[in-house]
Amino acid sequence: MADHLQFIIPVILAGGKGTRLAGVCPNIPKVIAPVAGRPFLEYLLIQLVRTGFTKVILCVGYLKDQVINTFGTRYKTMEIIYSVEDIPLGTGGALRNAIIKNDIKEKYLLVMNGDSFVDISMAEYILWHINGGYDFSLVLVEVADVSRYGSVYMDRKGKVVLFGEKSKSGKGTINGGIYIFKKDVVASFLQCSGESLEHDMLPLMLTHGLYGFEANGDFIDIGTPESYTISQSVMMKKHEI
């Protein structure tokens, strides 16, 4: 696995304001909201350290100094590189900014939303992607109600064919907020897409080939006060990580 990690660098999108969470966690970036005694972002960093990564790029914007002061330039055995946005760029713009401003040598980007967590083997996902020879992939998780997220549909070969509307409710498969992109290919897509990774860029990838990795682990996010409350009990059970 160590041989594969030299070809991939993690990038965490951690610049969002988190407007819906402001009433619960005012005046702090959403990604460092306390969850079970830790800043939420720490759970993602732990996941990366345990996979064996030695560096990560954090895309920061809103109240960025708080994130930087919380984690500094190193977390355990992993170097932290900050990609700073002085004005809100959106998730697609933040990723574009990270590629342009950092001399990234790695062939692949492991992109993670900073406000969600999927309990998966990151190593298994990386090996699946590289061995499959994909340019684009994302982690998919099953939830009891897809109405907040929108469904993701695949064909029998695992290729994503449709992103469903959020109005549909009930059990289904959603985007887990973890992606692997081939750096050179995604850079060209970013040049012709809008500012949102989810709404502007991912739909463009459907025609090129976007594949889904189905995860069985727990999924949580802290995007709303309700989901933030749920995350406390879920992550408390996993606190030993």
Side-chain angles (χ1 to χ4, degrees), residues 34-46:
V35 173
R38 287 176 169 154
F40 183 76
L41 183 59
E42 186 171 359
Y43 293 103
L44 277 65
L45 297 179
I46 291 170

Side-chain angles (χ1 to χ4, degrees), residues 11 13 59 83-85 88-102 104 109 111 181 183 186-197 200-201 204:
V11 180
L13 302 173
C59 299
S83 178
V84 176
E85 51 188 89
L89 299 176
T91 49
L95 184 56
R96 184 188 302 115
N97 187 56
I99 294 174
I100 291 172
K101 291 189 175 182
N102 294 276
I104 297 174
L109 308 175
V111 182
F181 301 139
K183 183 192 67 178
V186 78
S188 65
F189 268 68
L190 284 167
Q191 291 173 6
C192 58
S193 70
E195 297 306 309
S196 171
L197 172 61
D200 297 320
M201 196 171 86
L204 290 177

Side-chain angles (χ1 to χ4, degrees), residues 17 21 47 50-51 65 67 74 76 92 120 143 146 164 171 177 181:
K17 189 173 182 179
L21 205 61
Q47 198 172 35
R50 292 205 165 183
T51 303
D65 290 343
V67 180
R74 179 164 292 275
K76 297 185 183 296
I120 64 168
V143 296
V146 300
K171 186 177 181 180
F181 301 139

